[in-house]
Amino acid sequence: MKKIEDPLKNYTKEEIEKKEHLLDKDNLEKNDKLAMFLAAIKVFGLPLLIMCVGIILLAKFFGL
């Protein structure tokens, strides 16, 4: 088997910490967050709407 190479072996500790800091930082832009929110609404909105309308119709149908 081939030995796994460490991709960070040629970097100093400071350079590794700098790269880790860049990964930890929230690097999403405002438009990215908006796109994720709209995608979540698109995915979860319709099923929630169907459930709410279904409950209301069942309540009216059975006279609850």
Side-chain angles (χ1 to χ4, degrees), residues 34-48:
L34 177 63
M36 288 190 300
F37 174 74
L38 293 176
I41 293 297
K42 193 176 190 180
V43 168
F44 296 115
L46 185 61
L48 288 173

Side-chain angles (χ1 to χ4, degrees), residues 3-5 7 11 13 15-16 21 24-26 29 33-36 38-40 47-49 51 56 59-60 62:
K3 186 177 179 184
I4 299 174
E5 289 186 35
Y11 290 103
K13 186 171 181 155
E15 291 173 326
I16 293 172
H21 178 68
D24 290 340
K25 225 170 79 171
D26 184 17
E29 294 179 3
K33 291 180 182 178
L34 177 63
M36 288 190 300
L38 293 176
L48 288 173
L49 179 67
M51 284 191 295
I56 291 171
K60 288 191 180 225
F62 290 113

